[in-house]
Amino acid sequence: MNPLLKEIRSSPLLWMLIFVPVVLVVEHAVPSAHTALFVLAVLAIVPLAALLSHATESVAERTGDAIGGLLNATLGNLTELIIAVAALQAGEYMLVKASIAGAIVTNSLFMLGMSFLLGGLRHHVQDYNRAGGRLSASLLLMATIALLAPAAVADLDLLKGEAMARNLSAGLAVLLICAYALSLLFSLKTHKELFASEEHGDAGGGGWPIGLAIGTLLVVTVLVALVSEIFVSSVQKAGETLGLSPAFVGFIIVALVGAAAEMAVAFSAARKNRLDMSVSIALGSASQIALFVAPVLVLLSYAVGPKPMDLQFWPGAVTMVMIATVTCCFITNGGRSAWFVGALLLFIYVIFAMTLYMVPPGSHAQI
Amino acid sequence: MNPLLKEIRSSPLLWMLIFVPVVLVVEHAVPSAHTALFVLAVLAIVPLAALLSHATESVAERTGDAIGGLLNATLGNLTELIIAVAALQAGEYMLVKASIAGAIVTNSLFMLGMSFLLGGLRHHVQDYNRAGGRLSASLLLMATIALLAPAAVADLDLLKGEAMARNLSAGLAVLLICAYALSLLFSLKTHKELFASEEHGDAGGGGWPIGLAIGTLLVVTVLVALVSEIFVSSVQKAGETLGLSPAFVGFIIVALVGAAAEMAVAFSAARKNRLDMSVSIALGSASQIALFVAPVLVLLSYAVGPKPMDLQFWPGAVTMVMIATVTCCFITNGGRSAWFVGALLLFIYVIFAMTLYMVPPGSHAQI
Amino acid sequence: MNPLLKEIRSSPLLWMLIFVPVVLVVEHAVPSAHTALFVLAVLAIVPLAALLSHATESVAERTGDAIGGLLNATLGNLTELIIAVAALQAGEYMLVKASIAGAIVTNSLFMLGMSFLLGGLRHHVQDYNRAGGRLSASLLLMATIALLAPAAVADLDLLKGEAMARNLSAGLAVLLICAYALSLLFSLKTHKELFASEEHGDAGGGGWPIGLAIGTLLVVTVLVALVSEIFVSSVQKAGETLGLSPAFVGFIIVALVGAAAEMAVAFSAARKNRLDMSVSIALGSASQIALFVAPVLVLLSYAVGPKPMDLQFWPGAVTMVMIATVTCCFITNGGRSAWFVGALLLFIYVIFAMTLYMVPPGSHAQI
């Protein structure tokens, strides 16, 4: 257990692990303290996500390039996935959809904007011209379009009942997963030199033994699942108390919490003037949500949810995700950044959050 | 007739010409076999379109640069035009509008995506950096915006009756044709070096005598017109039998059939690592639909249709065309391709087709 | 007064100053001649705007880089601001909103398009590759998104009464002004070398004494305010007579009139093959409308308007502004122009104007 303890001691973020037992205890003692449980659950998930991300990387390192890349790619958004599955089981479909859309927006506006801002405060102008970056932006743009096309194109009122929306979403989910499989083939096999894995080079402390890494992966997954369940069951009531809609919680809070670990890596890379890596993490993570997490949740909803979930996002979410993705592609295409570019990306994010806070889409009938 | 027969013998596609007499005979013998007639008409139009395209090029070659370029440009989408005129005469406005929108989407997603995929399967990474390509992308973007602006901007419910929509569309059609005339002046006269006509260099077997070329052009035009009439009159009933809406048939089937000849050229160029040419064909053809075919149809509708046609596309079509065009501009702006980029473009196309198949816009009142 | 008179004698535009006394006299003599007053007011504002712009630059020149830059930036759109304040006082919110949206569209389509066209008619192909230009385009894109996000994202019907829309708009206005302050810090202090002020180098005749410049600034501001009041009070009736809606007048006429002075500079630069400068004026002015003029008007509406104004643009305006900005960013990103690119930008502008003329958004309930 030495490397794990060493890791915890050296990383202040992991001291927040104390909130994991706290939230479990409070849940047993005062199950009706919804607001406290909600806040504690958020605080507990952040360090667990960091640990999960580190364990995944350690396993990936030990298993060689191909399988390791696959693991990293599929487990990279494991936290988001576990939270969403808990919400799925509770039938909180608005929360699930909001967390999918919010994760894409958070990765492409907040993670990227904060990277540009933090990098720009230390370096005057930052250039990042890797050809692979431009390819990532194309992939993200197309992944998002593929995810949103039915919601953007189809006139919802024409859907005769929910059956048609569900069939369309199931077909779409299968297509997206095929695209995801092809993207892995592309980035891990046929064109892996374009995505050279410098990204994960110094991400963690390295060097965990494989047994510890797999053990941590399993234990932490269970812990995240437990805490997520508390989170989801308290969010409704806590939201009412704090005046937050499920849409706002999913879009902003779940997305920020789930991506905390990746953000730490991206921000530190930006400050080291390695913007290529920050851009690649932000774009790659957003693509993965669209091509993998979203369709897996649709298919899982047939097994674990009270009824199948469709992918019909509410119109405002479609607009926000499209704006975030197009902006992010346009900005990264330029290949040059300064602090104000980051500041403006963050402004757009804050405006989205403000709008969502004041005008929640909760009363929409079709969701 | 030697070169024509030689052409037919050497090109398996042209063997499908056998379907032309077949469909004409079946139409006389069993006029009520709508589904068979529909399928036969589709099979007959494909080789006719290839022949028409080859004849146009032969005439263009013999008439010198300026007139030849003009001919190539205006007759390049003759098949789409003839089919649409047949639909116009039958009052099938939904089919006409769907085929206009579908032709733009098919050229910018399917033709381009398949070119990237086929080229990428043979070549690892393909670069195409011609400055003219970037100019073509700008022109396509602006042509599409010009075509769609009224539909995107105007609140349909505010149009007092159909009269205002028709006046707006007629004014727009005149503007678009002026823009088209200027684009010919630009690409054939003032800046022709940017669009150097390598595109049509090895497109066909070359060398048809002018008499044969003009004769073929005339005869094939009449044949396409005859078969198009059968196609349009059978499509309604066949659609009902096969479960296809006019929107789906126009958007997907007419567009694929009409562009078959150009696709053959674009795909072959991509496999020869001449992506510049594939991109130029796809973008140029899509621009031409927006700036020439669409307004000509509006103006023709005053002469041949039961009532004037407007250019108010249904909202989903506007979204699909805008997404296709913006994606296509963004992707081609990068100047670098690999197989997965093509695969993702095709995925988006399939998602559009799937959505249109499951949620047809047929019940919209204003169309 | 010598330099001022010399300026007026040498510049035919300023001969139109004769319309200033004319409109003031006519207003006293025949206050009910609304159409004549409207036309005269438009004719009087054009030379005043040119004079205002020249005086601002003269003051800016004399006050050193930092304060001068600040003056130029904040007073650059003073004419638009004064007209809009007059409309605000009269409670003509549709006119105010239309003039905000119209100014962005006019700067990014008309000013840019005409610059490309005029430059392209004299020079075969024009390249403009300054890195700062690309940064300006990013800033414009993000400024516009920030301005429009709430209108694009929020479902208007969900706003419980007008109170929520107003709160959202007030919060947004504060955010936009913060972003504007940061943009001044960025462009005038931390990264001023990227925006090297060649733009204003030969903009005017230079050399006004500071006293004359400040005096002109004050007197002309008062004159513009007086004429604007006549303009706003006559526009409603004149619009009815001429068949123009407030939306059309604000979007097209106010925007063209207010930007006349900047256009003169941008067009002359384009003809001298200094497209960088034209692009920079057009993009910078459009950004300033979004980040400064619009939020200032919202905050002013609490003081001078009959009731607070919100920033909920009607859907067609959102679409037009987004299309104009994205097109403009895409086109300028290429860094290469020819006359036809300008012609197409102008075509899009004409199509917008035509649509707005024929389908005014006047009957929308929420505005």
Side-chain angles (χ1 to χ4, degrees), chain B:
Chain B
M1 288 296 280
N2 213 15
L4 182 55
L5 283 176
K6 213 173 114 196
E7 174 91 20
I8 293 176
R9 215 172 304 137
S10 73
S11 158
L13 186 69
L14 296 183
W15 295 357
M16 290 168 67
L17 282 173
I18 190 70
F19 288 112
V20 179
V22 169
V23 71
L24 293 174
V25 166
V26 171
E27 212 268 332
H28 266 267
V30 210
S32 62
H34 296 294
T35 309
L37 280 171
F38 167 74
V39 172
L40 287 171
V42 167
L43 293 174
I45 289 175
V46 171
L48 286 174
L51 218 52
L52 203 55
S53 147
H54 195 155
T56 306
E57 269 156 31
S58 293
V59 175
E61 259 171 43
R62 305 276 150 169
T63 47
D65 254 22
I67 301 175
L70 193 70
L71 272 174
N72 242 328
T74 47
L75 300 185
N77 285 306
L78 194 52
T79 314
E80 280 97 334
L81 196 56
I82 298 174
I83 300 178
V85 169
L88 212 55
Q89 283 179 308
E92 290 268 15
Y93 290 170
M94 185 63 185
L95 186 62
V96 178
K97 289 180 188 180
S99 75
I100 293 171
I104 297 175
V105 170
T106 300
N107 284 331
S108 47
L109 290 182
F110 183 82
M111 199 191 291
L112 203 64
M114 194 59 98
S115 297
F116 284 170
L117 182 61
L118 291 176
L121 289 178
R122 185 172 281 187
H123 308 275
H124 190 65
V125 170
Q126 294 183 293
D127 286 303
Y128 53 100
N129 273 322
R130 215 160 51 98
R134 245 187 301 173
L135 209 51
S136 305
S138 307
L139 302 195
L140 170 60
L141 184 66
M142 288 192 285
T144 313
I145 288 172
L147 177 66
L148 296 180
V153 165
D155 195 330
L156 294 174
D157 303 340
L158 287 174
L159 293 171
K160 289 152 206 137
E162 295 187 2
M164 200 177 267
R166 277 208 306 271
N167 288 348
L168 185 60
S169 297
L172 180 63
V174 172
L175 270 180
L176 289 172
I177 287 180
C178 293
Y180 186 66
L182 288 178
S183 87
L184 290 181
L185 180 67
F186 180 67
S187 62
L188 298 177
K189 202 165 167 71
T190 70
H191 287 67
K192 64 182 167 192
E193 82 284 359
L194 293 177
F195 301 85
S197 63
E198 29 169 350
E199 287 88 16
H200 304 287
D202 62 3
W208 285 11
I210 181 81
L212 172 62
I214 292 184
T216 309
L217 197 57
L218 293 178
V219 170
V220 173
T221 300
V222 172
L223 286 177
V224 173
L226 284 176
V227 177
S228 294
E229 220 163 287
I230 298 174
F231 172 77
V232 167
S233 71
S234 63
V235 73
Q236 186 95 317
K237 290 274 171 61
E240 280 168 24
T241 313
L242 298 171
L244 306 175
S245 66
F248 181 86
V249 171
F251 209 95
I252 304 294
I253 297 179
V254 173
L256 284 175
V257 164
E262 282 156 315
M263 283 182 194
V265 181
F267 298 163
S268 128
R271 293 185 67 78
K272 289 176 194 148
N273 207 10
R274 297 178 57 190
L275 262 193
D276 276 343
M277 191 166 138
S278 312
V279 170
S280 158
I281 293 174
L283 298 181
S285 184
S287 300
Q288 202 187 24
I289 299 280
L291 290 180
F292 181 69
V293 174
V296 161
L297 287 170
V298 169
L299 299 183
L300 274 179
S301 75
Y302 283 85
V304 308
K307 61 172 187 177
M309 186 178 80
D310 60 48
L311 278 172
Q312 292 294 137
F313 295 92
W314 75 98
V318 172
T319 309
M320 280 190 273
V321 173
M322 285 309 302
I323 288 179
T325 313
V326 169
T327 306
C328 163
C329 288
F330 184 82
I331 296 299
T332 54
N333 211 26
R336 163 168 284 216
S337 162
W339 66 266
F340 187 56
V341 175
L344 274 181
L345 284 172
L346 292 176
F347 267 113
I348 298 179
Y349 187 71
V350 171
I351 288 169
F352 281 175
M354 196 171 77
T355 307
L356 212 48
Y357 179 78
M358 297 182 80
V359 195
S363 53
H364 267 237
Q366 74 267 20
I367 289 158

Side-chain angles (χ1 to χ4, degrees), chain A residues 109 120 123-125 129 314-317 319-320 323-324 326-328 330-331 333-348 350-352 354-364, chain C residues 131-132 134-135 137-143 145-147 149-150 152-155 158-160 164 167-169 171-172 175-176 178-180 182-186 190-191 193-194 291 322 326 329-330 333:
Chain A
L109 291 182
H123 308 275
H124 190 67
V125 170
N129 272 323
W314 75 98
T319 309
M320 281 190 270
I323 288 178
V326 169
T327 306
C328 162
F330 185 81
I331 297 300
N333 212 25
R336 162 169 285 217
S337 163
W339 67 266
F340 188 56
V341 176
L344 274 182
L345 285 172
L346 292 176
F347 268 113
I348 299 180
V350 171
I351 288 169
F352 282 173
M354 195 171 79
T355 307
L356 212 49
Y357 178 78
M358 297 182 79
V359 196
S363 54
H364 265 236
Chain C
R134 244 186 303 171
L135 209 49
S138 307
L139 301 195
L140 171 60
L141 184 66
M142 289 192 285
I145 289 172
L147 177 67
V153 166
D155 195 329
L158 286 174
L159 292 171
K160 289 153 207 140
M164 199 176 267
N167 288 347
L168 185 60
S169 296
L172 180 63
L175 270 180
L176 289 172
C178 294
Y180 185 65
L182 288 178
S183 86
L184 291 181
L185 180 68
F186 181 68
T190 70
H191 288 67
E193 82 284 358
L194 292 177
L291 290 180
M322 285 309 303
V326 169
C329 287
F330 185 83
N333 211 25

Side-chain angles (χ1 to χ4, degrees), chain A:
Chain A
M1 286 297 280
N2 212 15
L4 182 54
L5 284 177
K6 213 174 112 196
E7 174 90 22
I8 292 176
R9 215 170 306 137
S10 72
S11 158
L13 186 68
L14 296 183
W15 296 354
M16 290 169 67
L17 282 172
I18 190 69
F19 288 112
V20 179
V22 169
V23 71
L24 294 173
V25 166
V26 171
E27 212 268 330
H28 266 268
V30 209
S32 63
H34 296 295
T35 309
L37 280 171
F38 168 74
V39 173
L40 287 171
V42 167
L43 293 174
I45 290 175
V46 171
L48 286 174
L51 217 53
L52 203 56
S53 149
H54 196 156
T56 306
E57 269 158 30
S58 294
V59 174
E61 259 171 42
R62 306 275 148 168
T63 48
D65 254 24
I67 300 175
L70 193 69
L71 272 174
N72 242 328
T74 47
L75 300 185
N77 285 305
L78 193 53
T79 315
E80 279 97 335
L81 195 56
I82 298 174
I83 300 177
V85 169
L88 212 56
Q89 282 179 309
E92 290 267 15
Y93 289 171
M94 186 62 184
L95 186 62
V96 178
K97 289 181 189 181
S99 74
I100 293 171
I104 298 175
V105 169
T106 299
N107 285 330
S108 47
L109 291 182
F110 183 82
M111 199 192 290
L112 203 65
M114 194 57 98
S115 297
F116 285 170
L117 182 61
L118 291 175
L121 289 179
R122 184 171 282 188
H123 308 275
H124 190 67
V125 170
Q126 295 184 292
D127 286 304
Y128 53 99
N129 272 323
R130 216 160 51 100
R134 243 186 303 172
L135 209 49
S136 304
S138 307
L139 302 196
L140 170 60
L141 184 66
M142 288 193 283
T144 313
I145 289 172
L147 176 67
L148 296 180
V153 165
D155 195 330
L156 294 173
D157 304 338
L158 287 173
L159 291 171
K160 290 152 207 139
E162 295 186 359
M164 200 177 266
R166 278 209 305 273
N167 288 346
L168 185 60
S169 296
L172 180 62
V174 172
L175 269 179
L176 289 172
I177 287 181
C178 292
Y180 185 65
L182 288 178
S183 86
L184 291 180
L185 180 67
F186 180 67
S187 63
L188 299 177
K189 203 163 165 73
T190 71
H191 288 65
K192 62 182 167 192
E193 82 284 358
L194 292 178
F195 301 84
S197 61
E198 28 168 351
E199 288 89 17
H200 305 288
D202 63 2
W208 285 10
I210 180 84
L212 172 63
I214 292 183
T216 308
L217 196 58
L218 294 177
V219 170
V220 173
T221 300
V222 172
L223 287 175
V224 173
L226 285 175
V227 177
S228 294
E229 221 162 286
I230 299 173
F231 172 77
V232 167
S233 71
S234 64
V235 73
Q236 186 95 319
K237 290 273 170 61
E240 281 168 25
T241 312
L242 300 172
L244 307 175
S245 66
F248 181 86
V249 171
F251 209 94
I252 305 294
I253 298 178
V254 173
L256 284 175
V257 164
E262 283 156 313
M263 282 182 194
V265 180
F267 297 164
S268 128
R271 292 185 68 79
K272 289 177 194 148
N273 207 9
R274 295 177 58 188
L275 262 193
D276 276 343
M277 192 166 137
S278 312
V279 171
S280 158
I281 293 175
L283 298 181
S285 185
S287 300
Q288 204 189 21
I289 299 281
L291 290 180
F292 181 69
V293 174
V296 161
L297 287 171
V298 169
L299 299 183
L300 274 179
S301 75
Y302 283 85
V304 308
K307 61 173 188 177
M309 186 178 80
D310 61 48
L311 279 172
Q312 292 294 138
F313 295 93
W314 75 98
V318 172
T319 309
M320 281 190 270
V321 172
M322 286 308 303
I323 288 178
T325 313
V326 169
T327 306
C328 162
C329 287
F330 185 81
I331 297 300
T332 55
N333 212 25
R336 162 169 285 217
S337 163
W339 67 266
F340 188 56
V341 176
L344 274 182
L345 285 172
L346 292 176
F347 268 113
I348 299 180
Y349 187 71
V350 171
I351 288 169
F352 282 173
M354 195 171 79
T355 307
L356 212 49
Y357 178 78
M358 297 182 79
V359 196
S363 54
H364 265 236
Q366 74 268 17
I367 288 159

Side-chain angles (χ1 to χ4, degrees), chain C residues 322-335:
Chain C
M322 285 309 303
I323 288 178
T325 314
V326 169
T327 307
C328 163
C329 287
F330 185 83
I331 297 300
T332 54
N333 211 25

